[in-house]
Amino acid sequence: MEEREHKFQKLTPVKNVNLSIYKKTLDFVFENSDLKNIAITGIYGAGKSSVVETYKKKSNKNFIHIS
């Protein structure tokens, strides 16, 4: 039987994605104190956590992570 080479990719968040429209959107959320809950949706591996992690890294806001 022939051996196949498998390629794997990590799906862990990165902290250097292009925020594009997401930055404006998240800035809007944090500028409006009456907004209490937001949802970031997408399929597994779409980059939701990477957007949040990059925004956290580039902002001067304090965040806590609750899992």
Side-chain angles (χ1 to χ4, degrees), residues 17-34:
V17 297
N18 179 0
L19 288 177
S20 181
I21 187 70
Y22 301 114
K23 181 176 181 336
K24 281 185 170 181
T25 304
L26 291 169
D27 285 344
F28 174 80
V29 167
F30 289 112
E31 289 168 1
N32 291 278
S33 62
D34 60 326

Side-chain angles (χ1 to χ4, degrees), residues 8 10 13 16 21 24 38 53:
F8 299 98
K10 298 187 317 178
N16 62 346
I21 187 70
K24 281 185 170 181
I38 64 167
E53 290 299 319

Side-chain angles (χ1 to χ4, degrees), residues 52-65:
V52 171
E53 290 299 319
T54 301
Y55 186 81
K56 284 169 43 176
K57 180 181 175 186
K58 294 184 176 186
S59 75
N60 60 354
K61 297 168 180 34
N62 294 318
F63 292 87
I64 59 170
H65 180 83

